[in-house]
Amino acid sequence: MSSIALGATIVDALIGVGVTDVVLAPGSRSAALALAVDRAARAGSLRLHVRVDERVAGFTALGIAKASRRAVAVVTTSGTATANLGPAAMEATAAGVPLLLITADRPAHLVGSGANQTGDQAGILGPSALAVLRIGSESGDDNDWAAVVQRGVVLAEGRRTRRAGAVQVNVEFAPPLVGELPPARPRPLRVAGSAGHTTVDLDARRTVVLVGDATPEEGAEARALAELGGAPLLAEPSSNARVGANAVPDYRLRLGALGGDIERVVVFGHPSLSRPVTALLSRDDIELVVVSPGATWVDPGHRAAVVADRVLLEDQDPEWLPRWFEALPEAAPPTGRDLVTATVLESLGPDDDLVLGASSIIRAADLAPIRERAPRVFANRGLAGIDGTVATATGLALATGHPTTVLLGDLTAQHDLGALVRPPSEPWPERLRVVVVDDRGGSIFRGLEQGAPEYADSFDRVFLTPQGVDLVAVAAALGWRAARVAADALADALASDADFIVVDLS
Ligand SMILES: Cc1ncc(C[n+]2csc(CCOP(=O)(O)OP(=O)(O)O)c2C)c(N)n1
Ligand SMILES: [Mg+2]
């Protein structure tokens, strides 16, 4: 996409989220922004103020924002111009005045090359910026750019954090820097402030409630919304909403056939498990409503139209929900990892906690049958690492006192061997049990692009990486009651006193 499109989109995004005033200091790198903001001012969509000195521009914006309590945008070119925003940014963040500092920049690969007016300017405001966001004409599209700018405005205004201040949006413009402006486009984003715990009412258009990784409280809220409104509940394993009559166990497999009929998605938590869901969150033709209890919100496809603390959903067409439960062609009984997951889930009830490792195991759990007596489920889905899973579970179990089961892959277990050491004379969870799915390496990669036959020569060494660690021997040496079993013997092992079970899937 082009620099002129980027400039036009930034201005559309500012208007769409409620910005009324822009202060511009002239320059070349920021030319597309200057042209777009001038057009918007002529159309009466914005008020434009032009100042030569960026320090003066910053403080002028500060004055407007002090009076209006709405974010005022300041646009500068690259280089020392950006550092001149420092004093106004310091004052804005100290005094809680919302400023969006839009600093034009060169493409990142020119930093350090000696290219004219090119320094390392993203983050130049240091602690005076509440956040530093980055976009560029060579990466992403107009939806991505608009979403980043609008997130910047919401952060600067402290609309959800109640902490207003300066936010920098550093924008890399690649040549050509000017061109014909694309038509202005409305980009409304409604972000409810969290302070008043605002509730947003949603009409009856065909809705699914999608729940990613979430706390038990959020999961319960999502479940209640789906059940009260009669909407399908598409719930990931650590959503704590994979329960009840509206939860669709195999939703991931049904999105292909039914996805086209979805008109709205209400998202809770942090979905991260499957490509069909990522595709759904990136669609232009659905209304995306994000429910978030926190300061920020999840919107990986950059399509959110509404962000709210709570929503109420009008009754859905009664024929919508049953369509998600129509019989699929007879599925074979579960084997391998699916059997392990189903067996572990069946052995647990509402008094238990389950910690799921990353990789294929949590995806298997995403297709497991829905059970009315479900455990609380936790997973490190913030960044989906395979590190620290057992240690996380020990911390969780120490804090809750609940019987806790960890279900994880062999590499994930091996990554966290240190957590199997029980420090002498330290408190240790009374009922902690580890179940390792041993399929000899990172099987998830078999189903990804690198699993294709053309990479077969490199696959085992640089992706699968089987470690050949005898996990039962290691755990036993560290004092665990360890056993190795086949998948069909897991139910018995779970009923025994073993607290470290390796399920052999080789
Ligand atoms: C800390 C960290 N390093 C690397 C990765 C990349 N990674 C994702 S899955 C995976 C393999 C996991 O293997 P295993 O635990 O055996 O699970 P499986 O894929 O066999 O189900 C790796 C290395 C990651 N997510 N986190
Ligand atoms: Mg494995």
Side-chain angles (χ1 to χ4, degrees):
M1 309 238 352
S2 67
S3 284
I4 194 73
L6 173 54
T9 303
I10 291 172
V11 173
D12 291 341
L14 293 174
I15 296 166
V17 75
V19 171
T20 57
D21 287 78
V22 176
V23 185
L24 170 80
S28 165
R29 199 47 57 172
S30 51
L33 275 165
L35 292 174
V37 88
D38 182 40
R39 176 177 70 179
R42 286 169 198 271
S45 315
L46 276 175
R47 276 184 297 272
L48 172 61
H49 316 267
V50 182
R51 302 289 184 274
V52 171
D53 180 329
E54 289 82 9
R55 198 187 56 85
V56 173
F59 277 108
T60 304
L62 182 95
I64 300 169
K66 242 177 153 34
S68 67
R69 313 259 177 93
R70 301 303 306 264
V72 174
V74 183
V75 175
T76 76
T77 191
S78 62
T80 53
T82 60
N84 284 292
L85 297 174
M90 280 179 90
E91 173 61 20
T93 295
V97 178
L99 285 189
L100 191 76
L101 305 172
I102 305 177
T103 53
D105 199 355
R106 314 265 152 165
H109 64 264
L110 290 174
V111 173
S113 72
N116 181 37
Q117 217 170 67
T118 306
D120 199 354
Q121 66 180 50
I124 187 132
L125 301 171
S128 302
L130 295 177
V132 181
L133 310 178
R134 296 167 174 84
I135 47 177
S137 60
E138 292 177 316
S139 123
D141 64 15
D142 55 327
N143 287 316
D144 300 320
W145 303 332
V148 172
V149 169
Q150 293 186 327
R151 195 179 283 266
V153 171
V154 173
L155 287 170
E157 290 185 346
R159 239 186 258 186
R160 298 188 61 76
T161 59
R162 292 194 270 175
R163 182 178 184 212
V167 168
Q168 182 184 13
V169 182
N170 195 65
V171 190
E172 294 174 13
F173 289 102
L177 300 181
V178 294
E180 195 184 332
L181 281 166
R185 187 185 138 177
R187 294 184 175 274
L189 171 69
R190 180 169 170 203
V191 177
S194 65
H197 295 285
T198 4
T199 300
V200 172
D201 292 311
L202 302 175
D203 64 25
R205 76 187 81 173
R206 274 191 305 276
T207 299
V208 296
V209 177
L210 173 72
V211 203
D213 181 58
T215 62
E217 293 74 20
E218 276 177 284
E221 196 187 321
R223 175 187 176 185
L225 180 79
E227 291 183 355
L228 283 172
L233 181 57
L234 318 185
E236 290 189 352
S238 61
S239 65
N240 291 294
R242 248 186 109 77
V243 58
N246 291 45
V248 183
D250 46 8
Y251 69 93
R252 190 164 94 204
L253 309 179
R254 295 176 185 266
L255 278 171
L258 288 169
D261 292 339
I262 298 173
E263 295 174 323
R264 176 194 291 125
V265 180
V266 179
V267 184
F268 288 76
H270 180 198
S272 66
L273 288 185
S274 71
R275 293 187 182 183
V277 166
T278 307
L280 178 66
L281 294 176
S282 303
R283 264 170 48 185
D284 266 334
D285 58 336
I286 54 168
E287 184 190 42
L288 187 62
V289 178
V290 184
V291 182
S292 167
T296 183
W297 63 95
V298 163
D299 180 22
H302 286 151
R303 296 295 193 284
V306 178
V307 179
D309 297 294
R310 285 194 64 220
V311 293
L312 287 176
L313 179 61
E314 241 178 64
D315 285 350
Q316 298 279 293
D317 174 351
E319 284 173 18
W320 176 228
L321 180 62
R323 290 178 59 197
W324 289 81
F325 291 92
E326 280 165 13
L328 286 179
E330 199 59 40
T335 56
R337 195 177 295 108
D338 297 331
L339 175 60
V340 172
T341 313
T343 308
V344 168
L345 281 167
E346 239 160 70
S347 75
L348 304 175
D351 296 332
D352 295 296
D353 289 357
L354 173 64
V355 176
L356 287 172
S359 207
S360 350
I361 200 71
I362 192 164
R363 292 175 173 84
D366 198 29
L367 288 171
I370 304 294
R371 300 180 56 261
E372 203 35 65
R373 293 175 40 76
R376 282 167 301 268
V377 183
F378 300 90
N380 284 338
R381 294 309 299 173
L383 293 175
I386 60 163
D387 43 353
T389 308
V390 176
T392 301
T394 60
L396 200 90
L398 277 172
T400 61
H402 298 159
T404 301
T405 300
V406 195
L407 177 59
L408 75 181
D410 53 304
L411 290 189
T412 309
Q414 189 252 318
H415 208 297
D416 206 19
L417 286 182
L420 297 179
V421 179
R422 307 174 196 213
S425 23
E426 283 299 310
W428 188 257
E430 271 175 38
R431 292 165 297 177
L432 176 68
R433 180 171 61 178
V434 179
V435 180
V436 184
V437 179
D438 188 4
D439 51 12
R440 313 269 196 279
S443 313
I444 193 156
F445 299 125
R446 293 187 200 280
L448 301 180
E449 286 81 352
Q450 57 266 55
E454 55 264 45
Y455 310 114
D457 285 351
S458 308
F459 186 79
D460 283 19
R461 181 160 191 215
V462 299
F463 295 112
L464 192 65
T465 59
Q467 299 294 299
V469 174
D470 182 347
L471 289 167
V472 169
V474 173
L478 293 171
W480 295 72
R481 294 182 297 276
R484 174 175 285 272
V485 300
D488 57 9
L490 176 58
D492 289 342
L494 289 169
S496 76
D497 72 344
D499 58 10
F500 192 96
I501 303 169
V502 177
V503 188
D504 199 332
L505 283 197
S506 56

